[in-house]
Amino acid sequence: MTQLQRLIFGEVFYVGDLTDRQRELITCSVLTVLQTLPQLKAHLNAALNVGVLPLELKESLYQCAPFIGYPRTLNAVNVLNEVLEDRHISLPLDNQTSIKDEERYEKGLEIQKELYGDEIKDRYRYLPDDVGEALPRFLTEWCFGDCYTRKVLDIPTRELLIFCILTALNASGQLYAHALGNIKVGNSLHTLYYALIQCLPYLGFPCVFNAFNAIKDLAE
């Protein structure tokens, strides 16, 4: 515990210029991926203590769903609800949906295309017609239509958290594209470096080294 406290709060928190709010949102996202729910509960409380809004926390957890699936996301949301109830914060929180159901594809595609083009659709052209149509459509509707269009969290914050979620999943093959997406929405390469350092105590060196290696060409 002495080592943990020294590393996380005495050293890692002083690397870079991330705010405490950003650090706790990153940490809660990573712990959601890891499903370390006791530690998640502690950091949800810490996030609220440093000024993260309950809705921001709820949205950051919802943002995990397209990457880790609904069961693990619901586990994390249940923990957050317990934290909010313990703090006498009324539930449910306000709904942050900003589009109609029939707009999910159109509105999602607007965001996706600007950031990532047609990469996914092109990559999976080899699939049978029904699967080849469904897979990219689900990505557009679920990840971008259902999540990115929601209120409270802006797109730069969503992109930064997704980069950390993918790091926690050790999904190195997707990190370069999402690093470019981060840069397009205004997050600097240094911000990504600082975010990876923030992830280090929770993920360990191999996973974080993989992430740094995946985006190293951006520094050249």
Side-chain angles (χ1 to χ4, degrees):
M1 186 58 68
T2 299
Q3 293 177 14
L4 180 154
Q5 291 175 341
R6 181 179 61 235
L7 177 64
I8 294 177
F9 301 107
E11 297 172 340
V12 166
F13 258 64
Y14 292 94
V15 176
D17 57 3
L18 298 178
T19 66
D20 288 351
R21 295 174 72 258
Q22 287 176 310
R23 292 181 186 280
E24 287 300 338
L25 282 170
I26 288 169
T27 302
C28 289
S29 296
V30 167
L31 294 175
T32 295
V33 175
L34 298 177
Q35 289 291 281
T36 48
L37 300 182
Q39 290 78 16
L40 174 62
K41 186 171 186 177
H43 278 278
L44 290 169
N45 275 296
L48 293 167
N49 290 341
V50 299
V52 179
L53 300 176
L55 275 172
E56 291 175 319
L57 278 176
K58 185 69 70 87
E59 289 302 315
S60 71
L61 299 188
Y62 287 175
Q63 183 73 47
C64 295
F67 304 93
I68 65 171
Y70 282 119
R72 285 184 284 179
T73 302
L74 288 172
N75 287 344
V77 171
N78 286 337
V79 173
L80 175 58
N81 287 341
E82 291 174 6
V83 168
L84 296 179
E85 287 172 350
D86 288 344
R87 287 174 172 249
H88 306 292
I89 295 172
S90 296
L91 296 173
L93 300 178
D94 292 339
N95 191 328
Q96 297 303 301
T97 301
S98 68
I99 62 171
K100 299 175 182 177
D101 281 353
E102 59 268 24
E103 297 178 312
R104 293 167 62 234
Y105 183 81
E106 175 190 354
K107 297 297 184 181
L109 187 62
E110 288 177 9
I111 299 170
Q112 180 184 12
K113 197 144 190 171
E114 184 175 351
L115 292 176
Y116 299 105
D118 293 319
E119 176 188 356
I120 296 298
K121 191 172 182 179
D122 292 341
R123 182 178 299 176
Y124 294 100
R125 287 187 183 279
Y126 69 90
L127 292 170
D129 289 346
D130 51 350
V131 178
E133 184 276 331
L135 184 62
R137 176 170 55 82
F138 290 157
L139 176 66
T140 299
E141 292 177 342
W142 184 11
C143 184
F144 295 95
D146 286 337
C147 295
Y148 274 67
T149 62
R150 293 175 67 82
K151 295 177 284 186
V152 176
L153 290 185
D154 58 22
I155 290 182
T157 301
R158 291 184 182 280
E159 277 294 321
L160 182 61
L161 295 181
I162 288 169
F163 182 80
C164 296
I165 290 167
L166 292 170
T167 297
L169 289 168
N170 213 10
S172 301
Q174 298 178 40
L175 283 176
Y176 186 86
H178 277 273
L180 290 176
N182 269 272
I183 291 169
K184 284 182 182 178
V185 299
N187 292 327
S188 71
L189 189 56
H190 280 191
T191 296
L192 298 184
Y193 292 160
Y194 301 149
L196 290 178
I197 294 297
Q198 180 64 28
C199 293
L200 177 61
Y202 310 98
L203 301 179
F205 282 105
C207 195
V208 171
F209 278 149
N210 286 345
F212 273 111
N213 289 335
I215 64 171
K216 66 181 180 180
D217 289 349
L218 293 174
E220 297 176 356

PDB file of all heavy atoms in Angstrom, residues 106-129:
ATOM      1  N   GLU A 106     -27.557   7.954 -39.208  1.00  0.00           N
ATOM      2  CA  GLU A 106     -27.189   9.199 -39.891  1.00  0.00           C
ATOM      3  C   GLU A 106     -26.288  10.070 -39.019  1.00  0.00           C
ATOM      4  O   GLU A 106     -25.228  10.533 -39.464  1.00  0.00           O
ATOM      5  CB  GLU A 106     -28.454   9.971 -40.262  1.00  0.00           C
ATOM      6  CG  GLU A 106     -28.190  11.336 -40.881  1.00  0.00           C
ATOM      7  CD  GLU A 106     -29.451  12.161 -41.019  1.00  0.00           C
ATOM      8  OE1 GLU A 106     -30.553  11.636 -40.739  1.00  0.00           O
ATOM      9  OE2 GLU A 106     -29.333  13.340 -41.390  1.00  0.00           O
ATOM     10  N   LYS A 107     -26.687  10.295 -37.767  1.00  0.00           N
ATOM     11  CA  LYS A 107     -25.915  11.157 -36.877  1.00  0.00           C
ATOM     12  C   LYS A 107     -24.598  10.496 -36.475  1.00  0.00           C
ATOM     13  O   LYS A 107     -23.573  11.164 -36.333  1.00  0.00           O
ATOM     14  CB  LYS A 107     -26.735  11.501 -35.630  1.00  0.00           C
ATOM     15  CG  LYS A 107     -28.004  12.290 -35.910  1.00  0.00           C
ATOM     16  CD  LYS A 107     -27.691  13.648 -36.521  1.00  0.00           C
ATOM     17  CE  LYS A 107     -28.948  14.474 -36.710  1.00  0.00           C
ATOM     18  NZ  LYS A 107     -28.680  15.792 -37.336  1.00  0.00           N
ATOM     19  N   GLY A 108     -24.646   9.182 -36.288  1.00  0.00           N
ATOM     20  CA  GLY A 108     -23.411   8.472 -35.958  1.00  0.00           C
ATOM     21  C   GLY A 108     -22.409   8.523 -37.093  1.00  0.00           C
ATOM     22  O   GLY A 108     -21.212   8.720 -36.886  1.00  0.00           O
ATOM     23  N   LEU A 109     -22.913   8.362 -38.327  1.00  0.00           N
ATOM     24  CA  LEU A 109     -22.029   8.362 -39.494  1.00  0.00           C
ATOM     25  C   LEU A 109     -21.365   9.721 -39.682  1.00  0.00           C
ATOM     26  O   LEU A 109     -20.202   9.789 -40.100  1.00  0.00           O
ATOM     27  CB  LEU A 109     -22.818   7.983 -40.742  1.00  0.00           C
ATOM     28  CG  LEU A 109     -21.994   7.775 -42.019  1.00  0.00           C
ATOM     29  CD1 LEU A 109     -20.997   6.627 -41.843  1.00  0.00           C
ATOM     30  CD2 LEU A 109     -22.919   7.490 -43.203  1.00  0.00           C
ATOM     31  N   GLU A 110     -22.065  10.795 -39.369  1.00  0.00           N
ATOM     32  CA  GLU A 110     -21.478  12.128 -39.492  1.00  0.00           C
ATOM     33  C   GLU A 110     -20.219  12.242 -38.643  1.00  0.00           C
ATOM     34  O   GLU A 110     -19.200  12.781 -39.091  1.00  0.00           O
ATOM     35  CB  GLU A 110     -22.494  13.198 -39.049  1.00  0.00           C
ATOM     36  CG  GLU A 110     -23.643  13.415 -40.001  1.00  0.00           C
ATOM     37  CD  GLU A 110     -24.643  14.421 -39.464  1.00  0.00           C
ATOM     38  OE1 GLU A 110     -24.352  15.068 -38.424  1.00  0.00           O
ATOM     39  OE2 GLU A 110     -25.719  14.583 -40.076  1.00  0.00           O
ATOM     40  N   ILE A 111     -20.285  11.742 -37.425  1.00  0.00           N
ATOM     41  CA  ILE A 111     -19.134  11.803 -36.512  1.00  0.00           C
ATOM     42  C   ILE A 111     -18.062  10.813 -36.949  1.00  0.00           C
ATOM     43  O   ILE A 111     -16.878  11.139 -37.031  1.00  0.00           O
ATOM     44  CB  ILE A 111     -19.582  11.514 -35.076  1.00  0.00           C
ATOM     45  CG1 ILE A 111     -20.603  12.551 -34.619  1.00  0.00           C
ATOM     46  CG2 ILE A 111     -18.376  11.486 -34.136  1.00  0.00           C
ATOM     47  CD1 ILE A 111     -21.283  12.216 -33.311  1.00  0.00           C
ATOM     48  N   GLN A 112     -18.470   9.588 -37.238  1.00  0.00           N
ATOM     49  CA  GLN A 112     -17.521   8.530 -37.598  1.00  0.00           C
ATOM     50  C   GLN A 112     -16.734   8.886 -38.848  1.00  0.00           C
ATOM     51  O   GLN A 112     -15.506   8.714 -38.894  1.00  0.00           O
ATOM     52  CB  GLN A 112     -18.270   7.221 -37.800  1.00  0.00           C
ATOM     53  CG  GLN A 112     -17.370   6.048 -38.173  1.00  0.00           C
ATOM     54  CD  GLN A 112     -18.164   4.792 -38.464  1.00  0.00           C
ATOM     55  OE1 GLN A 112     -19.395   4.845 -38.612  1.00  0.00           O
ATOM     56  NE2 GLN A 112     -17.493   3.661 -38.551  1.00  0.00           N
ATOM     57  N   LYS A 113     -17.435   9.368 -39.870  1.00  0.00           N
ATOM     58  CA  LYS A 113     -16.781   9.618 -41.146  1.00  0.00           C
ATOM     59  C   LYS A 113     -15.738  10.713 -41.022  1.00  0.00           C
ATOM     60  O   LYS A 113     -14.661  10.647 -41.616  1.00  0.00           O
ATOM     61  CB  LYS A 113     -17.820   9.981 -42.209  1.00  0.00           C
ATOM     62  CG  LYS A 113     -17.308   9.853 -43.626  1.00  0.00           C
ATOM     63  CD  LYS A 113     -18.421   9.354 -44.557  1.00  0.00           C
ATOM     64  CE  LYS A 113     -17.812   8.994 -45.897  1.00  0.00           C
ATOM     65  NZ  LYS A 113     -18.781   8.315 -46.757  1.00  0.00           N
ATOM     66  N   GLU A 114     -16.056  11.746 -40.243  1.00  0.00           N
ATOM     67  CA  GLU A 114     -15.111  12.843 -40.065  1.00  0.00           C
ATOM     68  C   GLU A 114     -13.844  12.386 -39.361  1.00  0.00           C
ATOM     69  O   GLU A 114     -12.744  12.826 -39.678  1.00  0.00           O
ATOM     70  CB  GLU A 114     -15.770  13.970 -39.264  1.00  0.00           C
ATOM     71  CG  GLU A 114     -14.882  15.195 -39.107  1.00  0.00           C
ATOM     72  CD  GLU A 114     -15.592  16.339 -38.425  1.00  0.00           C
ATOM     73  OE1 GLU A 114     -16.821  16.258 -38.220  1.00  0.00           O
ATOM     74  OE2 GLU A 114     -14.911  17.322 -38.085  1.00  0.00           O
ATOM     75  N   LEU A 115     -13.982  11.465 -38.411  1.00  0.00           N
ATOM     76  CA  LEU A 115     -12.833  11.009 -37.627  1.00  0.00           C
ATOM     77  C   LEU A 115     -12.106   9.825 -38.266  1.00  0.00           C
ATOM     78  O   LEU A 115     -10.876   9.756 -38.231  1.00  0.00           O
ATOM     79  CB  LEU A 115     -13.281  10.618 -36.220  1.00  0.00           C
ATOM     80  CG  LEU A 115     -13.764  11.741 -35.310  1.00  0.00           C
ATOM     81  CD1 LEU A 115     -14.259  11.177 -33.987  1.00  0.00           C
ATOM     82  CD2 LEU A 115     -12.651  12.746 -35.071  1.00  0.00           C
ATOM     83  N   TYR A 116     -12.870   8.879 -38.838  1.00  0.00           N
ATOM     84  CA  TYR A 116     -12.275   7.611 -39.249  1.00  0.00           C
ATOM     85  C   TYR A 116     -12.579   7.193 -40.683  1.00  0.00           C
ATOM     86  O   TYR A 116     -12.117   6.132 -41.111  1.00  0.00           O
ATOM     87  CB  TYR A 116     -12.729   6.501 -38.286  1.00  0.00           C
ATOM     88  CG  TYR A 116     -12.282   6.768 -36.874  1.00  0.00           C
ATOM     89  CD1 TYR A 116     -13.179   7.213 -35.915  1.00  0.00           C
ATOM     90  CD2 TYR A 116     -10.951   6.622 -36.510  1.00  0.00           C
ATOM     91  CE1 TYR A 116     -12.762   7.493 -34.622  1.00  0.00           C
ATOM     92  CE2 TYR A 116     -10.522   6.889 -35.220  1.00  0.00           C
ATOM     93  CZ  TYR A 116     -11.433   7.327 -34.288  1.00  0.00           C
ATOM     94  OH  TYR A 116     -11.018   7.605 -33.015  1.00  0.00           O
ATOM     95  N   GLY A 117     -13.328   7.994 -41.402  1.00  0.00           N
ATOM     96  CA  GLY A 117     -13.630   7.652 -42.788  1.00  0.00           C
ATOM     97  C   GLY A 117     -14.417   6.357 -42.898  1.00  0.00           C
ATOM     98  O   GLY A 117     -15.239   6.039 -42.044  1.00  0.00           O
ATOM     99  N   ASP A 118     -14.130   5.576 -43.954  1.00  0.00           N
ATOM    100  CA  ASP A 118     -14.834   4.315 -44.205  1.00  0.00           C
ATOM    101  C   ASP A 118     -13.952   3.111 -43.895  1.00  0.00           C
ATOM    102  O   ASP A 118     -14.129   2.031 -44.462  1.00  0.00           O
ATOM    103  CB  ASP A 118     -15.284   4.243 -45.668  1.00  0.00           C
ATOM    104  CG  ASP A 118     -16.354   5.275 -45.988  1.00  0.00           C
ATOM    105  OD1 ASP A 118     -17.252   5.463 -45.146  1.00  0.00           O
ATOM    106  OD2 ASP A 118     -16.280   5.889 -47.070  1.00  0.00           O
ATOM    107  N   GLU A 119     -13.022   3.284 -42.970  1.00  0.00           N
ATOM    108  CA  GLU A 119     -12.025   2.241 -42.707  1.00  0.00           C
ATOM    109  C   GLU A 119     -12.666   0.896 -42.368  1.00  0.00           C
ATOM    110  O   GLU A 119     -12.284  -0.136 -42.927  1.00  0.00           O
ATOM    111  CB  GLU A 119     -11.125   2.686 -41.550  1.00  0.00           C
ATOM    112  CG  GLU A 119     -10.102   1.644 -41.124  1.00  0.00           C
ATOM    113  CD  GLU A 119      -9.357   2.038 -39.870  1.00  0.00           C
ATOM    114  OE1 GLU A 119      -9.567   3.154 -39.364  1.00  0.00           O
ATOM    115  OE2 GLU A 119      -8.563   1.213 -39.400  1.00  0.00           O
ATOM    116  N   ILE A 120     -13.619   0.886 -41.453  1.00  0.00           N
ATOM    117  CA  ILE A 120     -14.215  -0.381 -41.013  1.00  0.00           C
ATOM    118  C   ILE A 120     -15.013  -1.024 -42.140  1.00  0.00           C
ATOM    119  O   ILE A 120     -14.909  -2.228 -42.395  1.00  0.00           O
ATOM    120  CB  ILE A 120     -15.106  -0.157 -39.782  1.00  0.00           C
ATOM    121  CG1 ILE A 120     -14.250   0.337 -38.604  1.00  0.00           C
ATOM    122  CG2 ILE A 120     -15.837  -1.440 -39.405  1.00  0.00           C
ATOM    123  CD1 ILE A 120     -13.192  -0.648 -38.157  1.00  0.00           C
ATOM    124  N   LYS A 121     -15.810  -0.223 -42.833  1.00  0.00           N
ATOM    125  CA  LYS A 121     -16.620  -0.751 -43.931  1.00  0.00           C
ATOM    126  C   LYS A 121     -15.734  -1.359 -45.009  1.00  0.00           C
ATOM    127  O   LYS A 121     -16.020  -2.428 -45.551  1.00  0.00           O
ATOM    128  CB  LYS A 121     -17.483   0.367 -44.514  1.00  0.00           C
ATOM    129  CG  LYS A 121     -18.538  -0.113 -45.478  1.00  0.00           C
ATOM    130  CD  LYS A 121     -19.464   1.030 -45.866  1.00  0.00           C
ATOM    131  CE  LYS A 121     -20.569   0.546 -46.793  1.00  0.00           C
ATOM    132  NZ  LYS A 121     -21.489   1.645 -47.147  1.00  0.00           N
ATOM    133  N   ASP A 122     -14.627  -0.679 -45.312  1.00  0.00           N
ATOM    134  CA  ASP A 122     -13.713  -1.177 -46.341  1.00  0.00           C
ATOM    135  C   ASP A 122     -12.995  -2.451 -45.888  1.00  0.00           C
ATOM    136  O   ASP A 122     -12.792  -3.376 -46.674  1.00  0.00           O
ATOM    137  CB  ASP A 122     -12.681  -0.099 -46.691  1.00  0.00           C
ATOM    138  CG  ASP A 122     -13.301   1.089 -47.401  1.00  0.00           C
ATOM    139  OD1 ASP A 122     -14.416   0.939 -47.938  1.00  0.00           O
ATOM    140  OD2 ASP A 122     -12.688   2.170 -47.400  1.00  0.00           O
ATOM    141  N   ARG A 123     -12.624  -2.487 -44.612  1.00  0.00           N
ATOM    142  CA  ARG A 123     -11.844  -3.613 -44.097  1.00  0.00           C
ATOM    143  C   ARG A 123     -12.621  -4.921 -44.124  1.00  0.00           C
ATOM    144  O   ARG A 123     -12.046  -5.999 -44.295  1.00  0.00           O
ATOM    145  CB  ARG A 123     -11.373  -3.315 -42.669  1.00  0.00           C
ATOM    146  CG  ARG A 123     -10.505  -4.404 -42.071  1.00  0.00           C
ATOM    147  CD  ARG A 123     -10.049  -4.025 -40.683  1.00  0.00           C
ATOM    148  NE  ARG A 123      -9.259  -2.803 -40.667  1.00  0.00           N
ATOM    149  CZ  ARG A 123      -8.804  -2.234 -39.543  1.00  0.00           C
ATOM    150  NH1 ARG A 123      -9.076  -2.783 -38.378  1.00  0.00           N
ATOM    151  NH2 ARG A 123      -8.090  -1.141 -39.612  1.00  0.00           N
ATOM    152  N   TYR A 124     -13.949  -4.837 -43.961  1.00  0.00           N
ATOM    153  CA  TYR A 124     -14.744  -6.054 -43.844  1.00  0.00           C
ATOM    154  C   TYR A 124     -15.619  -6.320 -45.063  1.00  0.00           C
ATOM    155  O   TYR A 124     -16.642  -6.995 -44.983  1.00  0.00           O
ATOM    156  CB  TYR A 124     -15.579  -6.001 -42.559  1.00  0.00           C
ATOM    157  CG  TYR A 124     -14.696  -6.031 -41.334  1.00  0.00           C
ATOM    158  CD1 TYR A 124     -14.399  -4.851 -40.646  1.00  0.00           C
ATOM    159  CD2 TYR A 124     -14.110  -7.211 -40.900  1.00  0.00           C
ATOM    160  CE1 TYR A 124     -13.560  -4.867 -39.543  1.00  0.00           C
ATOM    161  CE2 TYR A 124     -13.271  -7.237 -39.802  1.00  0.00           C
ATOM    162  CZ  TYR A 124     -12.994  -6.063 -39.123  1.00  0.00           C
ATOM    163  OH  TYR A 124     -12.155  -6.078 -38.041  1.00  0.00           O
ATOM    164  N   ARG A 125     -15.173  -5.852 -46.213  1.00  0.00           N
ATOM    165  CA  ARG A 125     -15.896  -6.092 -47.460  1.00  0.00           C
ATOM    166  C   ARG A 125     -15.912  -7.570 -47.843  1.00  0.00           C
ATOM    167  O   ARG A 125     -16.763  -8.008 -48.622  1.00  0.00           O
ATOM    168  CB  ARG A 125     -15.269  -5.282 -48.605  1.00  0.00           C
ATOM    169  CG  ARG A 125     -15.563  -3.788 -48.522  1.00  0.00           C
ATOM    170  CD  ARG A 125     -15.078  -3.062 -49.764  1.00  0.00           C
ATOM    171  NE  ARG A 125     -15.281  -1.625 -49.666  1.00  0.00           N
ATOM    172  CZ  ARG A 125     -16.430  -1.005 -49.897  1.00  0.00           C
ATOM    173  NH1 ARG A 125     -17.491  -1.717 -50.230  1.00  0.00           N
ATOM    174  NH2 ARG A 125     -16.525   0.301 -49.784  1.00  0.00           N
ATOM    175  N   TYR A 126     -14.976  -8.351 -47.318  1.00  0.00           N
ATOM    176  CA  TYR A 126     -14.889  -9.766 -47.682  1.00  0.00           C
ATOM    177  C   TYR A 126     -16.010 -10.602 -47.055  1.00  0.00           C
ATOM    178  O   TYR A 126     -16.242 -11.743 -47.464  1.00  0.00           O
ATOM    179  CB  TYR A 126     -13.537 -10.342 -47.231  1.00  0.00           C
ATOM    180  CG  TYR A 126     -13.373 -10.450 -45.746  1.00  0.00           C
ATOM    181  CD1 TYR A 126     -13.752 -11.607 -45.068  1.00  0.00           C
ATOM    182  CD2 TYR A 126     -12.838  -9.392 -45.000  1.00  0.00           C
ATOM    183  CE1 TYR A 126     -13.612 -11.717 -43.692  1.00  0.00           C
ATOM    184  CE2 TYR A 126     -12.692  -9.485 -43.630  1.00  0.00           C
ATOM    185  CZ  TYR A 126     -13.075 -10.647 -42.992  1.00  0.00           C
ATOM    186  OH  TYR A 126     -12.936 -10.730 -41.631  1.00  0.00           O
ATOM    187  N   LEU A 127     -16.729 -10.049 -46.084  1.00  0.00           N
ATOM    188  CA  LEU A 127     -17.766 -10.815 -45.396  1.00  0.00           C
ATOM    189  C   LEU A 127     -19.007 -10.981 -46.267  1.00  0.00           C
ATOM    190  O   LEU A 127     -19.241 -10.187 -47.180  1.00  0.00           O
ATOM    191  CB  LEU A 127     -18.147 -10.093 -44.098  1.00  0.00           C
ATOM    192  CG  LEU A 127     -17.060 -10.070 -43.017  1.00  0.00           C
ATOM    193  CD1 LEU A 127     -17.455  -9.127 -41.879  1.00  0.00           C
ATOM    194  CD2 LEU A 127     -16.804 -11.474 -42.475  1.00  0.00           C
ATOM    195  N   PRO A 128     -19.816 -12.014 -46.001  1.00  0.00           N
ATOM    196  CA  PRO A 128     -21.085 -12.166 -46.727  1.00  0.00           C
ATOM    197  C   PRO A 128     -21.920 -10.898 -46.596  1.00  0.00           C
ATOM    198  O   PRO A 128     -21.805 -10.164 -45.606  1.00  0.00           O
ATOM    199  CB  PRO A 128     -21.759 -13.352 -46.023  1.00  0.00           C
ATOM    200  CG  PRO A 128     -20.656 -14.079 -45.342  1.00  0.00           C
ATOM    201  CD  PRO A 128     -19.608 -13.066 -44.998  1.00  0.00           C
ATOM    202  N   ASP A 129     -22.774 -10.669 -47.580  1.00  0.00           N
ATOM    203  CA  ASP A 129     -23.488  -9.392 -47.666  1.00  0.00           C
ATOM    204  C   ASP A 129     -24.194  -8.996 -46.375  1.00  0.00           C
ATOM    205  O   ASP A 129     -24.083  -7.854 -45.921  1.00  0.00           O
ATOM    206  CB  ASP A 129     -24.510  -9.436 -48.810  1.00  0.00           C
ATOM    207  CG  ASP A 129     -23.834  -9.414 -50.170  1.00  0.00           C
ATOM    208  OD1 ASP A 129     -22.624  -9.094 -50.221  1.00  0.00           O
ATOM    209  OD2 ASP A 129     -24.502  -9.726 -51.169  1.00  0.00           O
TER     210      ASP A 129
END
